[in-house]
Amino acid sequence: MIWEVFRQDEPGGYHTHCGNVHAPDREMALLFAEIQHARRKPTNSLWVVPQKEIASQTDETDRFGGTTDKTYRWVSAYNVDVEFAKEIEDSDREQRSVAGDSA
Amino acid sequence: MELQECKARAGPREFGPHDDLPREYREAATRMIQFHANSEIMGAYLERPFIRQSPSLDRKLAFSAKVQDEIGHGQLLYRAAESLGVKTREEMLDELANGEGKFLNCFHYPMTEWWETPMIAFFVDGAAMRRQATIKRTSWEPYAHAMDKICFEEGFHIKHGEHIMRELATGSRREQQLLQEAFEEWWPRILQFFGPTDDESTHHDFAAEVGLKTMSNDELRQAFLNAYLPKATEYGLEIPDEPRIREEDGRYVVEEDDLDWEEFWAVANNDYAGSHEQIDARASAHDAVAWVRATISGETA
């Protein structure tokens, strides 16, 4: 049985996928995940999830976000000042970095 | 965990679903997050008519994207609240429909005209985002995670709101005048967004002690005014004479007595005429699509 492993670096962070392990049960899966993925990398917490419980889809079968022009959803579509408020600058920067500024 | 230990440990993203937290913490966090989630939903319903009323296709697309975002924020927050184990999402949605659920003061007032939209989309959303940015450091980790995504999206909302405001402020004299009138009507409500002064705020002390809140109402109002009052002036809006706002040592001080706190508390208790109107309108919209929910749950049952 294969278990997908999610590792969290620091308290308060996200659990991100880091690989998978073979194990007969939950307890063993946690043990193997720890040995495999949390031995050197800084780790605060681990999750293991049975692989067959995970549903997935990919951009081969789906166009995530659709196929029509969605520029109106992005900060870059609106040419107004952001420097007056730090939290808006932050959002602007985060969105631009995700969009590669191409939106 | 004892309350004393909870207070001692309180810090950014300190607690999660695996912690055995005192009842007081879980109830206070539920109250705060439920209020926030309700406000996202009620705000979305207030703006929904402007998908139809938008003057151009661009605005229509942006408003529909924004309403979709806000409903999504409500869902994220109900999940964050639900994970405290005090109330289910179903219970919280029922409370919102039957008038028990509390939400932000500004969303108790009707918004009917296009030139009013920047009052919510720029000023109220701007105030909300200022507050939300501080909640990234709240002690309930699922709440902080919801804030990461909400703040990411919110930048578009406020820039879009400012874009509409700029269009009106640089438009015809009639548009400028209507914008000014809308501003005068909404300004006192916007100033009340952050609630009463600290000594009258009912829940702040405890929420601050356990790290749910990281800034007081007064500090937030101050930070908001520092950024947004110059903005209003920049777009040629005249700040109304009342409520009086003095500048003292680089700080804006609002004359609290000039604001209508009786109305504020009526609003806070869902007792204002507009409260019933907004709650009932949302409840009937919710009922109208009961068949969708029934169909979905029927299929998965």
Side-chain angles (χ1 to χ4, degrees):
Chain A
M1 185 171 175
I2 296 172
W3 299 71
E4 296 297 338
V5 183
F6 298 78
R7 190 173 53 83
Q8 181 198 49
D9 295 351
E10 291 175 347
Y14 293 88
H15 285 77
T16 44
H17 185 241
C18 60
N20 49 41
V21 292
H22 273 282
D25 59 34
R26 214 174 266 269
E27 197 184 347
M28 293 297 280
L30 278 170
L31 179 64
F32 292 156
E34 185 184 331
I35 293 166
Q36 185 76 273
H37 295 286
R39 210 153 36 119
R40 292 193 189 80
K41 294 256 179 80
T43 303
N44 179 65
S45 149
L46 280 178
W47 289 346
V48 290
V49 181
Q51 190 180 59
K52 64 174 169 47
E53 295 298 329
I54 294 179
S56 83
Q57 73 189 61
T58 71
D59 64 359
E60 281 172 26
T61 51
D62 279 281
R63 284 295 302 273
F64 295 117
T67 52
T68 53
D69 181 6
K70 298 270 195 325
T71 44
Y72 58 87
R73 281 177 187 270
W74 294 87
V75 292
S76 42
Y78 305 94
N79 178 25
V80 289
D81 170 35
V82 294
E83 284 168 19
F84 75 103
K86 186 182 171 294
E87 63 278 11
I88 299 173
E89 266 186 284
D90 290 344
S91 173
D92 195 272
R93 194 178 47 250
E94 285 173 26
Q95 284 200 21
R96 284 176 197 274
S97 75
V98 171
D101 220 359
S102 60
Chain B
M1 191 187 303
E2 293 294 322
L3 190 52
Q4 207 172 350
E5 189 195 342
C6 175
K7 287 180 182 177
R9 271 180 57 188
R13 306 185 183 216
E14 181 64 30
F15 306 124
H18 298 299
D19 289 301
D20 166 34
L21 290 155
R23 187 92 200 152
E24 294 93 325
Y25 179 94
R26 290 186 288 116
E27 281 175 356
T30 303
R31 182 167 50 232
M32 184 172 167
I33 305 169
Q34 184 182 0
F35 180 92
H36 195 164
N38 289 345
S39 301
E40 297 280 358
I41 302 292
M42 296 308 290
Y45 275 92
L46 203 59
E47 288 192 315
R48 186 180 68 140
F50 293 93
I51 299 173
R52 186 174 284 173
Q53 280 171 245
S54 283
S56 71
L57 186 56
D58 285 346
R59 297 297 188 212
K60 192 183 287 291
L61 288 167
F63 260 107
S64 70
K66 190 186 169 191
V67 167
Q68 187 184 29
D69 281 353
E70 306 289 21
I71 295 290
H73 296 172
Q75 301 286 8
L76 283 176
L77 289 165
Y78 285 125
R79 284 293 307 121
E82 202 171 37
S83 62
L84 286 150
V86 176
K87 289 180 190 173
T88 63
R89 184 176 74 157
E90 207 55 38
E91 285 169 334
M92 292 185 276
L93 286 169
D94 284 347
E95 287 181 8
L96 186 60
N98 69 23
E100 279 174 59
K102 305 294 167 56
F103 56 99
L104 208 59
N105 73 317
C106 291
F107 299 152
H108 290 247
Y109 299 93
M111 180 168 70
T112 52
E113 306 298 340
W114 176 252
W115 47 87
E116 290 181 279
T117 57
M119 301 307 135
I120 296 283
F122 182 64
F123 289 108
V124 175
D125 280 4
M129 191 166 173
R130 177 106 331 187
R131 179 168 170 277
Q132 287 171 156
T134 70
I135 298 173
K136 283 188 178 186
R137 294 173 53 76
T138 186
S139 57
W140 185 243
E141 184 185 299
Y143 193 18
H145 280 181
M147 266 333 106
D148 288 337
K149 183 166 190 290
I150 289 174
C151 289
F152 173 86
E153 295 180 349
E154 205 69 33
F156 139 57
H157 300 177
I158 297 161
K159 287 186 76 180
H160 176 241
E162 184 173 354
H163 205 255
I164 297 171
M165 185 159 81
R166 186 175 70 186
E167 196 169 70
L168 293 165
T170 56
S172 66
R173 278 180 57 191
R174 178 170 156 74
E175 282 173 324
Q176 291 174 23
Q177 191 193 330
L178 291 169
L179 182 69
Q180 176 66 32
E181 285 170 14
F183 182 65
E184 285 173 18
E185 189 178 8
W186 282 86
W187 184 235
R189 305 165 185 171
I190 293 165
L191 289 174
Q192 287 178 314
F193 174 99
F194 293 107
T197 42
D198 288 342
D199 51 334
E200 285 177 37
S201 172
T202 347
H203 303 306
H204 176 72
D205 287 349
F206 182 79
E209 279 169 10
V210 295
L212 285 166
K213 268 187 178 182
T214 58
M215 269 173 95
S216 73
N217 291 343
D218 271 358
E219 288 170 322
L220 286 167
R221 186 190 293 114
Q222 189 59 40
F224 169 74
L225 286 172
N226 279 332
Y228 285 80
L229 206 139
K231 270 292 183 187
T233 315
E234 184 188 317
Y235 285 106
L237 290 170
E238 282 177 41
I239 312 297
D241 291 339
E242 283 205 356
R244 286 164 289 174
I245 299 175
R246 303 190 305 275
E247 257 190 275
E248 271 177 21
D249 312 321
R251 284 173 51 88
Y252 294 109
V253 183
V254 181
E255 194 61 64
E256 294 262 331
D257 291 344
D258 289 356
L259 290 162
D260 188 343
W261 293 101
E262 210 171 302
E263 181 176 298
F264 176 86
W265 288 113
V267 160
N269 292 314
N270 291 347
D271 247 349
Y272 187 69
S275 317
H276 304 301
E277 200 183 315
Q278 300 305 324
I279 293 165
D280 293 348
R282 184 255 158 200
S284 28
H286 191 69
D287 287 347
V289 291
W291 66 274
V292 178
R293 291 188 298 278
T295 307
I296 291 170
S297 55
E299 276 173 7
T300 56

